[in-house]
Amino acid sequence: MENIYKPDPMEVVEVRQQTADVKLVRIKFRDPEKNANFKFNIGQFGLYSVFGVGESTFNICCSNSKDYIEFCFRKTGRVTERLWDVEPGDTIGFRGPFGNSYPMDAWEGKNLVFVAGGIAMPPIRCAIQYALENREKYGKITIVYGARTVGDLVCKDELDEWAQAPNVVVLKTVDVAPPEGTPWNGRVDFVPTVLKDAGITGENTVALVVGPPIMIKLSLPILVDAGLKDEDIFTSLENRMKCGLGKCGRCNCGSVYVCKEGPVFTQADIKKMPDDF
Amino acid sequence: MSQIITLDQLKKTLAEKQAQGVDIIAPVLRGELAFFQHVDDLEKAALTPRVRFQNSIKEFFFPRHETIFSFVRQGSDVQLTDAPEFERQQIVVGARPCDAASLPILDPLFAWDYQDRFFQQRRANTTVVSFACKETDGHCFCTAVGGAPDGTAGADAILFELGDGSFEVRCLTDKGKALFAGKTSESDKTGAACEPPKIDFEIKPIADWIRNNFSSPVWEEVSLRCVGCGACAFVCPTCHCFDIVDEGSYSKGKRVKNWDSCQTALFTLHASGHNPRGTQGKRQRQRMMHKFVIYPDKFDFNLCTGCGACSRSCGVMFGVRPCLEALAQAASSSEN
């Protein structure tokens, strides 16, 4: 019988440092057949392991048109401390894809608003990449992305690339002004303020909001005021996970298992859930 | 007519199976304490119904520590070796009805979309013979969750001690029939279990209260005495939460599945330092919700057999029954 807890060995293809403590890693299945047949939906996650150290959960942060997987992590715990040292050619483990996904099909024909804070850009990046690869299927795309400082922004190069695409607005901001002389073509403000100034209209629009709780809390009323319904506001939750399969018993919010019934929820879903995250 | 088997014949039957390579798991006394464990010599098995065990039969289906796979690093590559499949046959004899009842409760969890072969293979390869209860104590509350001293859920056969060195045998499944075929004799004696435990609360209104009182201060109040040791989860036949950790070194080691408990802070602690269940009250709430709200929502079972092992083992006289009683009180006072 299949062993659902055994990961696949993956080759690290590329590592790109994003900030002082964030890296983006590109991996491929060591087994070429598996690599060719691997499929996932935008918004799903995986469990990534450093053998001998442990496993951690991250979103698959690239679109699903590639022949590789990318994930992004911040160096903050035992596994990520060790993951920080991986180099191209190294082997790590991967289990997945797990969880539900963003309804990219249902979003077709709509305007998309992406709101991200700090390290929460990667779980949105996959949706942005997908939408831009299928540009004709979606309406106006607005991306609001903020971090504490310029040094904390991830995917900085891509932000400028995305802004070049037709009918895409990228608004980037930082909480703290960069030191004099630092090149910065974004704003110095909190994400909700910038979102408010973006002039979002609710009609035929969906939003994906991922970030720290305070950013989400203050961004929601702005989207609601703009006319978005709770069913049109999406987020991706995270909770500590071990199995990713609905068995180990820790990631639930009430009766909802983030690993199986999430990580993607609408604001309407979240209002029904107890405050267990 | 009933079928009976003498204690000697039961031991002989088990010894025959053992000789064929079947593992026998039975109660063994160490001093006054009874443990379920593998037995080599059936004369050491304490084959009589009892209320108190130091462990549940869970660990023979869901071991407290189990290797998932091992790995060896070879240059930049890593070779993984799958844990062996569970191919042995085993017989658990002397289980309490409330222990056996945990097995069908756990089945749907380990089959929820992803098949956990570690549990499922052991389950398929195990015959469970339970003993109907001859006594209950103040911790027992099986009747509150649909069980009974002669409950048959999860058992392949149930034996009733007759008090004359023999048992009445009631085979419940093909596995049970296969074990006892030709080993019993006909008799007009029938066994009976003890009286069911007396319970003065009902689960339904308490579960409703739990569902509607997520933010109640009662959770912190009832949990004040809990020290968060997790013993309740380890002795529980239905608690199944687990951790996955790596052992060994960077170059060579294994990944294991270990029992875990929702009563420790680390269980849900995020790398960021945030903890959705940062207090003992929140953790106790999770435990009770999981047992009486979440699991029934998902799988139509209470995640509890009313065995009382948690409160019997609790160092501060807490556990599921004391907690249910406290919540029943909160529920009734919130009605008034």
Side-chain angles (χ1 to χ4, degrees), chain A residues 1-7 9 30 49-55 76 82 89-91 95 97-98 238-240 242-243 245-250 252 254-257 260-261 274-277, chain B residues 68-69 71 73 76-78 80 82 85 109-110 112-118 120-121 214 240-244 246 249-250 255 260 266-271 274 276-277 286 290 294 297-298:
Chain A
M1 256 177 104
E2 190 202 354
N3 180 347
I4 54 176
Y5 305 107
K6 196 177 90 176
R30 285 243 176 238
S49 27
V50 181
F51 296 106
V53 184
E55 262 181 334
T76 101
R82 200 62 196 248
D90 285 350
T91 300
R95 288 194 290 132
F98 296 133
E238 62 171 24
N239 255 350
R240 185 180 179 126
K242 286 290 181 174
C243 71
L245 306 158
K247 308 206 189 296
C248 79
R250 72 199 67 221
N252 61 301
S255 290
V256 176
Y257 280 77
K260 269 181 67 62
E261 291 145 276
D275 181 21
D276 203 12
F277 42 84
Chain B
I68 302 171
F69 63 86
F71 73 90
R73 206 172 283 275
S76 60
D77 204 358
V78 176
L80 303 185
D82 204 347
E85 312 241 347
L109 181 274
F110 287 112
W112 190 21
D113 296 347
Y114 301 93
Q115 308 299 317
D116 179 308
R117 77 164 205 230
F118 297 95
Q120 290 177 338
Q121 289 179 342
F214 191 81
H240 57 264
C241 292
F242 59 87
D243 195 6
I244 297 177
D246 286 15
S249 70
Y250 190 68
R255 182 160 297 164
D260 207 344
L266 193 60
F267 189 64
T268 49
L269 182 67
H270 291 195
H274 171 67
R277 300 180 200 136
Q286 161 64 19
H290 197 187
I294 299 170
D297 275 358
K298 289 279 180 266

Side-chain angles (χ1 to χ4, degrees), chain A residues 111-125:
Chain A
N111 301 316
L112 307 179
V113 178
F114 297 109
V115 185
I119 186 70
M121 175 45 92
I124 288 188
R125 175 182 182 257

Side-chain angles (χ1 to χ4, degrees), chain A residues 150-170:
Chain A
V150 174
D152 291 313
L153 289 162
V154 301
C155 311
K156 270 196 284 285
D157 304 342
E158 285 170 281
L159 288 172
D160 294 331
E161 271 174 44
W162 295 337
Q164 303 303 314
N167 205 12
V168 176
V169 176
V170 177

Side-chain angles (χ1 to χ4, degrees), chain B residues 126-189:
Chain B
T126 306
T127 303
V128 178
V129 179
S130 57
F131 286 175
C133 297
K134 295 299 272 185
E135 59 174 334
T136 60
D137 69 9
H139 300 281
C140 294
F141 62 105
C142 59
T143 39
V145 286
D150 57 356
T152 56
D156 295 295
I158 183 166
L159 271 52
F160 293 76
E161 198 181 47
L162 294 171
D164 60 357
S166 65
F167 297 87
E168 185 199 342
V169 180
R170 296 185 199 165
C171 294
L172 305 161
T173 67
D174 290 344
K175 278 187 198 167
K177 284 177 195 154
L179 176 60
F180 289 106
K183 307 295 181 191
T184 58
S185 53
E186 290 203 337
S187 165
D188 51 10
K189 288 187 203 166

Side-chain angles (χ1 to χ4, degrees), chain A:
Chain A
M1 256 177 104
E2 190 202 354
N3 180 347
I4 54 176
Y5 305 107
K6 196 177 90 176
D8 283 303
M10 311 291 286
E11 182 189 348
V12 175
V13 180
E14 193 182 305
V15 180
R16 276 181 285 161
Q17 186 161 352
Q18 302 289 306
T19 74
D21 58 2
V22 174
K23 279 182 175 178
L24 192 144
V25 182
R26 181 177 295 181
I27 54 176
K28 277 182 163 187
F29 287 83
R30 285 243 176 238
D31 177 351
E33 200 179 328
K34 269 204 167 148
N35 202 63
N37 294 330
F38 180 74
K39 291 200 168 41
F40 70 96
N41 296 321
I42 304 297
Q44 288 192 289
F45 67 91
L47 280 117
Y48 304 79
S49 27
V50 181
F51 296 106
V53 184
E55 262 181 334
S56 279
T57 313
F58 310 107
N59 164 273
I60 303 173
C61 74
C62 59
S63 90
N64 53 8
S65 62
K66 328 278 194 203
D67 66 342
Y68 54 77
I69 299 170
E70 285 178 335
F71 68 96
C72 199
F73 70 94
R74 167 172 284 159
K75 187 167 65 159
T76 101
R78 200 156 46 92
V79 175
T80 49
E81 289 280 347
R82 200 62 196 248
L83 209 44
W84 189 257
D85 298 333
V86 301
E87 291 173 352
D90 285 350
T91 300
I92 64 169
F94 173 80
R95 288 194 290 132
F98 296 133
N100 67 353
S101 55
Y102 304 128
M104 299 307 297
D105 293 344
W107 288 355
E108 284 181 16
K110 293 178 191 285
N111 301 316
L112 307 179
V113 178
F114 297 109
V115 185
I119 186 70
M121 175 45 92
I124 288 188
R125 175 182 182 257
C126 52
I128 295 174
Q129 283 191 352
Y130 181 92
L132 293 179
E133 285 168 9
N134 299 275
R135 189 67 201 88
E136 70 291 350
K137 290 184 182 168
Y138 301 96
K140 183 179 178 183
I141 296 176
T142 308
I143 300 165
V144 179
Y145 177 43
R148 277 169 299 180
T149 71
V150 174
D152 291 313
L153 289 162
V154 301
C155 311
K156 270 196 284 285
D157 304 342
E158 285 170 281
L159 288 172
D160 294 331
E161 271 174 44
W162 295 337
Q164 303 303 314
N167 205 12
V168 176
V169 176
V170 177
L171 301 166
K172 40 185 190 176
T173 185
V174 288
D175 298 350
V176 182
E180 202 113 344
T182 309
W184 174 237
N185 55 357
R187 287 181 52 172
V188 180
D189 237 322
F190 293 118
V191 166
T193 315
V194 177
L195 176 65
K196 192 166 193 172
D197 296 345
I200 308 294
T201 53
E203 202 180 330
N204 199 31
T205 300
V206 294
L208 172 57
V209 185
V210 191
I214 186 68
M215 185 210 84
I216 296 181
K217 192 179 167 188
L218 297 175
S219 297
L220 287 177
I222 294 164
L223 294 167
V224 171
D225 285 349
L228 274 82
K229 294 191 199 66
D230 286 344
E231 292 75 20
D232 297 327
I233 303 172
F234 294 78
T235 193
S236 180
L237 289 186
E238 62 171 24
N239 255 350
R240 185 180 179 126
M241 291 176 195
K242 286 290 181 174
C243 71
L245 306 158
K247 308 206 189 296
C248 79
R250 72 199 67 221
C251 72
N252 61 301
C253 302
S255 290
V256 176
Y257 280 77
V258 173
C259 68
K260 269 181 67 62
E261 291 145 276
V264 180
F265 296 97
T266 65
Q267 189 53 24
D269 298 328
I270 286 177
K271 279 188 174 169
K272 286 183 222 146
M273 285 155 53
D275 181 21
D276 203 12
F277 42 84

